[in-house]
Amino acid sequence: MRISKKVLLLLLLLDLLMIFTSQLVSSKGSEEKKFYIIYFGGRPVEEDSAVRKHIDVLSSVKESFVEAKESIVYSYTKSFNAFAAELSSDEANKIAEMDEVLSVIPNRYRKLHTTKSWDFIGLPLTARRKLKAESNIVVGLFDTGITPQSDSFKDYGLTPDLPPHWKGTCDVSANFSGCNNKIIGARYFKLDGNPDPSDVLSPLDADGHGTHTSSTLAGDNVPNASLFGLAKGTSRGAVPSARVAMYKVCWISSGCSDIDILAAFDAAIHDGVDVISLSIGGGSADYTADSIAIGSFHAMNNGIITVTSAGNDGPSLGSVSNHAPWLLTVAASGIDRAFKSQVQFGDGKSILGSGISTFHPTQKMYPLVSGDDIAHNSASKEDARFCYADSLDSKKVKGKLVLCKLASWGADSVIKGIGGIGTIVESDQFLDAAQIFMAPATIVNSTIGETINHYIHSTGSATAVIHKSNEVQVRAPFIASFSSRGPSPGTKRILKPDIAAPGIDILASYTPLKSLTGLKGDTQFSKFTIMSGTSMACPHVAGVAAYVKSFHPHWSPAAIRSAILTTATPMSPRVNAEAEFAYGAGQLNPRRALNPGLIYDMNNMSYIQFLCLEGYKDSSLAPLIGSKFVNCSSLIPGLGYDGLNYPTFQLTLKRKQKTTLAIYRRTVTNVGPPRSSYNATVIAPKGVEITVTPMSLVFTKAMQKRSFKVVVKAKWDPSREGQMVSGRLAWKSSRYVVRSSVVVYSPYEEDDHVKINNYESVL
Ligand SMILES: *[C@@H]1O[C@H](CO)[C@@H](O)[C@H](O)[C@H]1NC(C)=O
Ligand SMILES: *[C@@H]1O[C@H](CO)[C@@H](O)[C@H](O)[C@H]1NC(C)=O
Ligand SMILES: *[C@@H]1O[C@H](CO)[C@@H](O)[C@H](O)[C@H]1NC(C)=O
Ligand SMILES: *[C@@H]1O[C@H](CO)[C@@H](O)[C@H](O)[C@H]1NC(C)=O
Ligand SMILES: *[C@@H]1O[C@H](CO)[C@@H](O)[C@H](O)[C@H]1NC(C)=O
Ligand SMILES: *[C@@H]1O[C@H](CO)[C@@H](O)[C@H](O)[C@H]1NC(C)=O
């Protein structure tokens, strides 16, 4: 099977093959039916009457009350008022016209986008903790489920007195015996059909992704964890004493559905989670038509911070997902460890290939051939060079190592399946994250591949051996090539991603229900495995958000994000060409985030002002704010360029206008010593003027607020089209540095990345 580059990327970087873009089609009736989400507003006063209302509304377009009742798959009534149902487009249009209905949005499917990483970013085992407060924190994950028997979720040392604010439950079933003092919530959401036979209708994780992310976030300390001896160390989460609530919304082969994601938000907000971690991507640029943007807005209204992955579609610009300004969007960086296998050749030479091969060779040397020399009679040499399943002559593979160009993942499985010993895969992409193989294999780049090919053809008897992988040191940090880049496709005014955290070759817990690769013939199973992706970076930041919250229980989502962003360790634009569009504020620094000195706080009104500025029309805001009317014209005046109190600054220049000037209004709150004073330090890139007034801020009390104004003025420079330059504003006191990136982007086209549809045009 040949697959496109894009799919290839997903196959490597997402351990899950959750690519499902087509919408479900009902088998009943001739007209095509789809799932829709119908919004009424904020949290209903009375749940039962809200449900009755849902059925009433639906009855008016269905044949009967009974049919209406049966068509509703979800009534969301705990945290906001909406329902999901299977409708024809006619029915959806009729409902959209009703007065009491605020908005109708079609359902979409998303895709899913480990312990040295904590030491690397400076959160050692011995870090200061507030254990009692930490054990009262509940972290909610929306993922593929969880493995309750995993060592990461034993409840040693955790008391049965659950956090007083917790109202969640456990779905007990044949496959899930229930919770303990560590996993205190476990639900599953799947109302659009039966799961894949390899999945289970329970909170149990048949995939491994959810077990991995949960243990990175809140797993207990597990000494001597490793993948067959690789990456050995103590596996642990950011907050080992926090409680875990799993909301299973992602399913093998069908992916993650909007209607299930919204149901998880409705439940998690009601249940009382403190932090939501969501390693799922593939949303819309329009915040009012995106289940993650909508659900997380309601979470924010309830004081819950939502942390999300930036996506694995890098390094192209504008690829970042989950970019709503109330989300904390995480890019993936590399730590100073990589996995390499030594390959020795019969001529005495040796090289290092990439990837994880856990097999010790049993012979000193094996015959080595190139795929194109062992083509099946009817197959072309070109196909055989890629080692497609039906292109090789199995008689000529038996007992040998084969050199293959990368076409799709699984050449190791193909070669093993027809009796081969192992595979050397040639590729110039995907070299920064380690792929796990199901048989001896390694990846080399095209230069080395050519050399090996030359060796094979210069002798009739080439031989080689692939050794078990080892850890090697590499220079770090750097941003993963796959990590999605800014600028945000949703707005010109906000810098996304927000921050970078480790997301390459992370060791964490895994499921016993799937082999390491999930490939046919793989017999490797392990309690721990290594995965890469912004999916793995996200729980690192969600964990630190929980860590900050255990010290500052009353901080708002915006305050926690501000603390994490302004204390990040700056990263180098020399190593990462896309600079802030790759890493946002820089690398996560957990311990400094506890004491930021100043915070940029804000509430839901700031976001509404921002949306008004962005041109969202009054009624299109309904799914977010739960009411049909907002008077945007009364909100906008005097707000400044972005209307927000964001801890970073982004200016997108007006094309070909000689100079663009933007005024930003900001307010900082003193969370350091009562008496403190800060001076502004500004670094402006060439061609950009940054002025701050006033230049110093004096505080005499804790929680005192001080406002200031930042003016950014930049000239249009045709040679910088499509590029970004960055500077910095830092507030410095004798003890703290409160750092903000200032980014100036020169777009290729006016409005090239702002695409706002209102819902009518989507229907
Ligand atoms: C789930 O439970 C059913 C019924 O007991 C059982 O047949 C099945 O093997 C279980 N699946 C897993 C993955 O445990
Ligand atoms: C650590 O794990 C390895 C296998 O991964 C095992 O052989 C060894 O005995 C373990 N050591 C300890 C101290 O548990
Ligand atoms: C803003 O948040 C407050 C407090 O959390 C809430 O009462 C109010 O309804 C929210 N307003 C909107 C428009 O969402
Ligand atoms: C392949 O790797 C070698 C050694 O690390 C390096 O010298 C060479 O430039 C690389 N080739 C490509 C195409 O990246
Ligand atoms: C909206 O606000 C503006 C400015 O405050 C005011 O002039 C206008 O009458 C308001 N519109 C409505 C419909 O209330
Ligand atoms: C701020 O600048 C003033 C004037 O240059 C200086 O006296 C003061 O010590 C500075 N404060 C800090 C905290 O650096």
Side-chain angles (χ1 to χ4, degrees):
M1 184 185 56
R2 263 157 266 206
I3 34 182
S4 71
K5 265 191 192 161
K6 185 88 172 183
V7 174
L8 200 62
L9 178 78
L10 289 167
L11 292 183
L12 170 64
L13 301 166
L14 308 169
D15 42 298
L16 268 187
L17 314 184
M18 292 198 164
I19 309 147
F20 189 90
T21 44
S22 63
Q23 308 202 333
L24 279 195
V25 177
S26 163
S27 52
K28 291 169 269 161
S30 56
E31 211 209 338
E32 188 178 302
K33 294 199 173 184
K34 293 176 183 170
F35 290 104
Y36 289 87
I37 300 149
I38 295 94
Y39 288 93
F40 291 84
R43 177 182 295 152
V45 183
E46 225 249 299
E47 286 188 41
D48 290 348
S49 63
V51 173
R52 276 199 301 279
K53 180 84 198 163
H54 298 166
I55 302 172
D56 275 355
V57 162
L58 202 49
S59 298
S60 65
V61 300
K62 295 281 186 191
E63 301 273 302
S64 67
F65 181 82
V66 176
E67 197 194 336
K69 202 168 168 185
E70 281 171 356
S71 316
I72 293 188
V73 291
Y74 282 113
S75 272
Y76 311 99
T77 54
K78 291 189 156 51
S79 308
F80 45 92
N81 188 357
F83 73 86
E86 218 174 355
L87 303 171
S88 68
S89 58
D90 268 2
E91 290 167 343
N93 280 322
K94 276 188 202 144
I95 290 179
E97 279 159 19
M98 295 180 186
D99 271 351
E100 59 267 60
V101 171
L102 297 180
S103 162
V104 176
I105 298 171
N107 183 42
R108 267 187 279 242
Y109 288 84
R110 319 304 194 91
K111 59 195 191 224
L112 278 164
H113 277 219
T114 346
T115 301
K116 159 130 202 203
S117 53
W118 289 119
D119 287 313
F120 184 72
I121 59 174
L123 186 69
L125 256 176
T126 52
R128 194 159 66 94
R129 295 190 177 278
K130 290 201 168 167
L131 283 182
K132 179 67 194 151
E134 192 174 303
S135 72
N136 272 332
I137 298 267
V138 187
V139 297
L141 295 103
F142 297 4
D143 215 301
T144 61
I146 196 160
T147 302
Q149 73 268 36
S150 158
D151 294 342
S152 296
F153 309 118
K154 297 262 191 286
D155 55 4
Y156 300 135
L158 283 174
T159 57
D161 45 327
L162 298 184
H165 62 287
W166 179 245
K167 288 191 278 180
T169 55
C170 262
D171 287 338
V172 177
S173 69
N175 300 98
F176 198 84
S177 56
C179 289
N180 58 15
N181 295 332
K182 178 71 184 175
I183 303 172
I184 63 168
R187 308 275 315 271
Y188 65 90
F189 300 89
K190 177 149 184 60
L191 283 186
D192 60 359
N194 287 324
D196 186 274
S198 59
D199 213 325
V200 270
L201 205 53
S202 96
L204 202 61
D205 183 11
D207 177 81
H209 189 277
T211 302
H212 202 276
T213 53
S214 325
S215 58
T216 299
L217 206 175
D220 203 353
N221 297 332
V222 185
N224 197 27
S226 76
L227 173 61
F228 299 127
L230 292 174
K232 195 183 232 149
T234 296
S235 166
R236 62 196 162 96
V239 277
S241 299
R243 323 279 183 145
V244 175
M246 170 56 64
Y247 299 84
K248 179 169 171 181
V249 295
C250 293
W251 299 84
I252 291 175
S253 81
S254 65
C256 335
S257 163
D258 277 342
I259 58 175
D260 296 328
I261 292 172
L262 274 174
F265 272 113
D266 193 35
I269 296 167
H270 163 265
D271 292 350
V273 303
D274 295 284
V275 173
I276 293 173
S277 179
L278 207 148
S279 293
I280 301 171
S284 161
D286 175 355
Y287 304 131
T288 58
D290 181 293
S291 64
I292 294 176
I294 294 167
S296 60
F297 192 91
H298 292 286
M300 177 271 300
N301 266 344
N302 287 277
I304 304 164
I305 184 169
T306 304
V307 184
T308 52
S309 48
N312 298 342
D313 298 323
S316 42
L317 288 182
S319 50
V320 63
S321 68
N322 293 324
H323 42 69
W326 45 92
L327 290 171
L328 174 39
T329 313
V330 186
S333 61
I335 58 175
D336 60 350
R337 171 181 76 191
F339 297 93
K340 302 276 179 190
S341 293
Q342 194 193 21
V343 185
Q344 282 178 300
F345 296 93
D347 63 1
K349 298 209 171 93
S350 80
I351 55 117
L352 285 181
S354 306
I356 296 173
S357 176
T358 63
F359 309 93
H360 282 296
T362 53
Q363 258 171 245
K364 246 182 140 163
M365 283 284 159
Y366 300 89
L368 171 67
V369 292
S370 173
D372 50 0
D373 293 336
I374 52 167
H376 197 271
N377 281 342
S378 54
S380 72
K381 261 177 147 316
E382 285 72 42
D383 280 1
R385 186 77 179 84
F386 288 96
C387 303
Y388 291 120
D390 49 6
S391 64
L392 299 178
D393 181 349
S394 56
K395 287 196 294 293
K396 297 183 180 160
V397 173
K398 209 165 169 37
K400 292 179 184 155
L401 297 180
V402 185
L403 176 68
C404 303
K405 280 197 168 154
L406 178 75
S408 62
W409 293 109
D412 50 329
S413 167
V414 170
I415 298 299
K416 173 98 190 280
I418 54 177
I421 292 293
T423 318
I424 300 176
V425 182
E426 221 184 295
S427 164
D428 284 326
Q429 286 171 288
F430 320 123
L431 290 164
D432 62 3
Q435 173 74 5
I436 300 178
F437 297 105
M438 56 82 71
T442 197
I443 306 183
V444 299
N445 72 18
S446 58
T447 318
I448 295 173
E450 270 318 302
T451 314
I452 298 173
N453 205 24
H454 182 77
Y455 162 62
I456 292 173
H457 292 117
S458 67
T459 161
S461 57
T463 56
V465 62
I466 302 171
H467 290 282
K468 183 182 168 183
S469 302
N470 274 317
E471 283 163 51
V472 298
Q473 274 238 321
V474 292
R475 277 220 274 181
F478 57 92
I479 296 297
S481 61
F482 60 76
S483 185
S484 290
R485 294 341 195 230
S488 164
T491 169
K492 305 169 176 186
R493 302 167 209 259
I494 305 292
L495 175 63
K496 290 282 173 171
D498 286 302
I499 195 158
I504 297 182
D505 300 348
I506 305 299
L507 183 86
S509 280
Y510 192 58
T511 177
L513 298 177
K514 192 175 146 199
S515 70
L516 288 182
T517 64
L519 289 171
K520 201 168 152 236
D522 189 0
T523 54
Q524 307 173 95
F525 288 82
S526 172
K527 284 180 163 184
F528 293 89
T529 195
I530 289 169
M531 290 190 190
S532 300
T534 52
S535 282
M536 282 67 239
C538 171
H540 278 88
V541 176
V544 171
Y547 182 53
V548 171
K549 190 151 185 177
S550 70
F551 283 78
H552 307 286
H554 301 299
W555 282 11
S556 72
I560 293 173
R561 176 175 58 193
S562 170
I564 290 173
L565 264 56
T566 61
T567 58
T569 309
M571 291 181 77
S572 169
R574 279 190 297 279
V575 180
N576 306 281
E578 302 84 13
E580 277 81 359
F581 283 164
Y583 48 68
Q587 174 93 317
L588 176 67
N589 188 334
R591 280 193 296 178
R592 278 207 53 215
L594 290 184
N595 288 302
L598 303 175
I599 49 175
Y600 293 78
D601 202 359
M602 56 186 149
N603 61 20
N604 50 8
M605 277 321 285
S606 312
Y607 296 115
I608 294 166
Q609 288 164 348
F610 161 84
L611 291 165
C612 284
L613 273 175
E614 284 284 304
Y616 282 82
K617 285 283 171 341
D618 307 326
S619 64
S620 70
L621 286 171
L624 297 176
I625 63 176
S627 112
K628 212 157 188 171
F629 188 75
V630 188
N631 189 348
C632 272
S633 46
S634 69
L635 289 173
I636 291 179
L639 285 183
Y641 182 74
D642 53 13
L644 289 175
N645 197 32
Y646 217 79
T648 57
F649 300 79
Q650 175 168 307
L651 171 61
T652 300
L653 296 184
K654 287 227 163 60
R655 270 179 66 82
K656 304 200 173 139
Q657 181 174 308
K658 211 166 156 237
T659 55
T660 307
L661 182 145
I663 298 170
Y664 300 83
R665 301 187 187 280
R666 295 291 191 264
T667 298
V668 285
T669 308
N670 179 25
V671 295
R675 295 186 165 279
S676 335
S677 67
Y678 289 81
N679 289 344
T681 324
V682 172
I683 303 170
K686 211 164 147 254
V688 179
E689 239 177 68
I690 303 174
T691 50
V692 181
T693 22
M695 283 290 280
S696 66
L697 303 173
V698 177
F699 298 88
T700 53
K701 292 199 289 263
M703 299 311 284
Q704 198 170 26
K705 290 181 189 290
R706 290 279 180 251
S707 295
F708 62 95
K709 187 171 93 174
V710 177
V711 180
V712 180
K713 209 166 119 186
K715 290 200 181 62
W716 177 260
D717 175 352
S719 71
R720 279 189 184 164
E721 227 173 42
Q723 291 172 27
M724 176 263 268
V725 291
S726 56
R728 187 173 292 162
L729 159 65
W731 288 105
K732 290 186 182 165
S733 76
S734 52
R735 278 171 67 177
Y736 299 97
V737 181
V738 186
R739 213 180 269 113
S740 294
S741 304
V742 182
V743 162
V744 178
Y745 176 57
S746 309
Y748 276 119
E749 287 169 39
E750 205 63 71
D751 285 342
D752 62 346
H753 57 272
V754 181
K755 298 175 201 75
I756 295 174
N757 323 302
N758 67 23
Y759 66 88
E760 279 94 357
S761 64
V762 180
L763 270 184

